[in-house]
């Protein structure tokens, strides 16, 4: 009877955890937590080290790329300067003058600009352009369309006879400037506006009478009024449109590329300019004008146009357009070839206005230089041509 009573207390006593096992468990738990924390700290340090190495390598590569880019830019600029310097020296030997060619027009005591006209070594009068590739334009050119058969059914067929520089009608330079494209101002070609010397009187008379119907020449205040009118987009376009329609002045644009180009590139620029102006007037939406545009485009179905070559656009008293192409050499006076003619005067008039007037012109510098050339005409009595030779 006493045995069961002894066994039960012993069983309950064995079920209780001892102080030693509790301490052991606490030690094991603490050791496990410390090991886990150490492992986590080790992983974070390793990730931070990898991130730091990545940033250092990235910075090194970016710095190397920047240095390489700057070095390439400096080397390219140096090579370009070397090539342009060699070309400049070559051009200097090609055109020699008794004195250095001025690059800017001089001013009178009244502050007005005058184009500088000098003589080359052969005695020809030339006007400096200020550009190394095409350093000068001739002050006068001679254009003679000459007789020649045209192909049947086309107003733009080339004439067999050549166009020479030393025969035909004399044209006098009014002004010139550079044609640039894109927002960074890439230079494409130099363009000069010429008027037949015999027709300068007509141009003088029309412009003088526009400002003062009783005058034969304009005083400074009247010249300022004419200059302002020609610079105004609307009034300038109206003035030149009337001159081209009524005055009967023969004129020409001489275009000389300063970099290699092609006929298609030049054609596209001309066509865009003509279409931009013709699209504002419904009178150009007829079949005749469409045919004229087609014939005009056909004149430019050719290849390359190297720099220094000459493209001449000539307009006669009735507005007939003649397109000529030649060497552009002032010394040899090589003949020009006639690429074609367009009889519709509206096409040449729109093409002329692209350089002379409007809110947007092909060359703002050329337009401004032409206006200053006009001022030289109207300050002299009607029937004279103003020149300044140094």
């Amino acid at each position: 009877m006493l045995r069961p009573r002894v066994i039960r207390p012993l069983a309950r006593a064995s079920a209780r955890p001892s102080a030693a096992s509790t301490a052991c468990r606490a030690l094991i738990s603490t050791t496990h937590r410390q090991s886990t924390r150490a492992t986590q700290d080790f992983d974070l340090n390793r990730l931070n080290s990898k991130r730091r190495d990545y940033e250092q390598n990235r910075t090194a590569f970016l710095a190397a790329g920047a240095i390489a880019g700057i070095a390439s830019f400096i080397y390219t600029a140096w090579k370009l300067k070397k090539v342009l310097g060699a070309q400049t020296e070559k051009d200097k030997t090609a055109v020699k003058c008794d004195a250095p060619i001025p690059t800017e027009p001089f001013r009178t005591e009244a502050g007005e600009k005058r184009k500088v006209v000098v003589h080359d070594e052969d005695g020809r009068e030339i006007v400096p352009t200020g550009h190394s590739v095409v350093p000068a334009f001739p002050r006068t050119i001679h254009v003679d369309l000459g007789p020649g058969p045209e192909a049947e059914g086309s107003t733009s067929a080339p004439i067999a006879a050549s166009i020479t520089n030393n025969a035909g009608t004399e044209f006098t330079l009014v002004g010139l400037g550079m044609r640039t494209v894109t927002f960074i101002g890439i230079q494409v070609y130099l363009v000069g506006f010429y008027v037949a010397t015999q027709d300068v009187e007509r141009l003088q008379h029309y412009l003088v009478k526009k400002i003062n119907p009783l005058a034969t020449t304009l005083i400074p205040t009247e010249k300022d009024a004419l200059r302002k009118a020609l610079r105004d987009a609307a009034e300038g376009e109206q003035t030149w449109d009337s001159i081209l329609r009524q005055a009967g002045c023969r004129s020409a644009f001489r275009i000389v590329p300063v970099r290699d180009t092609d006929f298609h590139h030049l054609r596209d620029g001309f066509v865009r300019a003509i279409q931009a102006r013709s699209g504002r007037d419904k009178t150009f939406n007829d079949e005749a004008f469409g045919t004229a545009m087609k014939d005009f485009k056909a004149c430019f179905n050719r290849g390359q146009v190297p720099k220094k070559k000459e493209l001449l656009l000539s307009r006669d008293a009735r507005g007939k357009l003649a397109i000529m192409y030649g060497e552009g050499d002032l010394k040899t006076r090589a003949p020009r070839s006639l690429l074609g003619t367009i009889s519709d005067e509206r096409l040449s008039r729109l093409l002329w206005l692209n350089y002379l007037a409007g809110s947007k012109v092909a060359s703002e510098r050329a337009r401004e230089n032409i206006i200053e050339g006009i001022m030289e005409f109207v300050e002299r009595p009607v029937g004279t041509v103003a020149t300044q030779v140094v």
Side-chain angles (χ1 to χ4, degrees):
M1 297 299 291
L2 296 175
R3 189 173 181 178
R5 294 177 183 176
V6 174
I7 292 173
R8 288 193 188 102
L10 290 174
R12 287 195 297 268
S14 63
R16 296 175 181 175
S18 63
S21 67
T22 302
C24 181
R25 290 175 182 176
L27 179 62
I28 292 172
S29 177
T30 302
T31 304
H32 177 71
R33 287 195 299 271
Q34 291 177 349
S35 176
T36 302
R37 187 180 298 110
T39 302
Q40 291 176 350
D41 293 340
F42 175 77
D43 291 340
L44 290 176
N45 291 335
R46 185 173 59 182
L47 290 175
N48 288 334
S49 177
K50 288 183 177 180
R51 179 66 181 180
R52 185 171 56 254
D53 293 340
Y54 168 78
E55 293 293 343
Q56 291 176 350
N57 292 336
R58 181 172 177 268
T59 302
F61 277 115
L62 290 176
I67 294 173
I70 294 173
S72 300
F73 177 82
I74 295 174
Y75 176 76
T76 303
W78 175 76
K79 293 290 288 183
L80 182 61
K81 181 179 179 181
K82 187 176 179 181
V83 172
L84 292 178
Q87 185 63 45
T88 301
E89 292 298 324
K90 182 178 178 181
D91 291 333
K92 286 180 179 180
T93 59
V95 179
K96 296 181 180 180
C97 300
D98 297 334
I101 298 180
T103 59
E104 295 293 336
F106 72 90
R107 294 179 179 270
T108 64
E109 294 180 356
E112 297 180 345
K113 294 181 180 179
R114 287 288 188 274
K115 64 174 176 287
V116 177
V117 182
V118 298
H119 291 86
D120 63 8
E121 60 183 0
D122 297 322
R124 292 184 296 266
E125 291 183 337
I126 58 175
V127 177
T129 65
H131 197 277
S132 60
V133 177
V134 184
F137 261 40
R139 194 185 71 83
T140 59
I141 59 175
H142 292 78
V143 181
D144 182 14
L145 294 181
E150 296 184 1
E152 295 182 1
S154 174
T155 60
S156 61
I159 295 177
S162 296
I163 311 303
T164 60
N165 281 333
N166 53 7
T169 304
E170 182 185 78
F171 285 73
T172 299
L173 179 65
V174 180
L176 58 86
M178 180 67 71
R179 159 71 171 168
T180 59
V181 295
T182 75
F183 67 96
I184 60 176
I186 297 177
Q187 297 179 340
V188 181
Y189 59 76
L190 279 162
V191 56
F193 179 57
Y194 290 80
V195 174
T197 306
Q198 296 175 350
D199 296 341
V200 170
E201 180 180 356
R202 294 172 178 266
L203 182 61
Q204 287 176 297
H205 181 270
Y206 189 93
L207 293 171
V208 169
K209 299 305 179 183
K210 172 182 172 61
I211 301 300
N212 187 345
L214 302 178
T216 59
T217 183
L218 298 183
I219 61 177
T221 55
E222 293 172 335
K223 287 172 56 180
D224 291 339
L226 177 60
R227 184 184 287 109
K228 182 179 179 181
L230 293 177
R231 286 175 177 172
D232 183 77
E235 190 173 0
E237 184 166 355
Q238 181 182 3
T239 300
W240 280 111
D241 186 80
S242 299
I243 291 174
L244 295 172
R245 287 173 181 265
Q246 304 170 11
C249 296
R250 294 164 293 177
S251 56
F253 280 102
R254 183 176 187 263
I255 296 172
V256 182
V258 297
R259 61 177 64 243
D260 294 340
T261 182
D262 56 65
F263 280 100
H264 289 173
H265 180 77
L266 295 173
R267 176 202 62 193
D268 293 342
F270 296 148
V271 170
R272 283 194 299 268
I274 295 172
Q275 291 176 341
R277 293 176 182 270
S278 63
R280 298 176 297 186
D281 192 338
K282 295 182 179 180
T283 60
F284 295 95
N285 298 332
D286 56 24
E287 185 177 354
F289 188 77
T291 302
M293 283 292 295
K294 181 179 179 181
D295 293 338
F296 179 76
K297 294 177 182 178
C299 295
F300 293 87
N301 287 336
R302 288 167 171 79
Q304 298 296 314
V305 181
K307 59 185 177 182
K308 300 184 182 181
K309 299 294 184 180
E310 178 192 69
L311 181 68
L312 192 68
L313 307 176
S314 175
R315 189 177 194 270
D316 68 10
R318 296 184 178 180
K320 182 178 180 180
L321 173 67
I323 306 170
M324 289 159 275
Y325 177 67
E327 293 296 324
D329 193 334
L330 302 183
K331 181 175 292 187
T332 61
R333 297 191 178 186
R336 308 183 188 100
S337 299
L338 184 63
L339 304 184
T341 58
I342 308 297
S343 298
D344 194 328
E345 72 86 21
R346 295 176 296 176
L347 190 142
S348 62
R349 175 156 45 90
L350 293 179
L351 187 57
W352 261 230
L353 290 174
N354 179 52
Y355 291 97
L356 297 174
S359 58
K360 184 178 181 181
V361 292
S363 171
E364 186 61 42
R365 184 172 181 180
R367 195 246 301 260
E368 184 64 26
N369 199 257
I370 291 169
I371 292 175
E372 294 304 324
I374 293 295
M375 295 303 109
E376 296 181 17
F377 288 168
V378 298
E379 71 180 3
R380 299 293 183 91
V382 173
T384 63
V385 179
T387 61
Q388 179 65 43
V389 181
V390 296

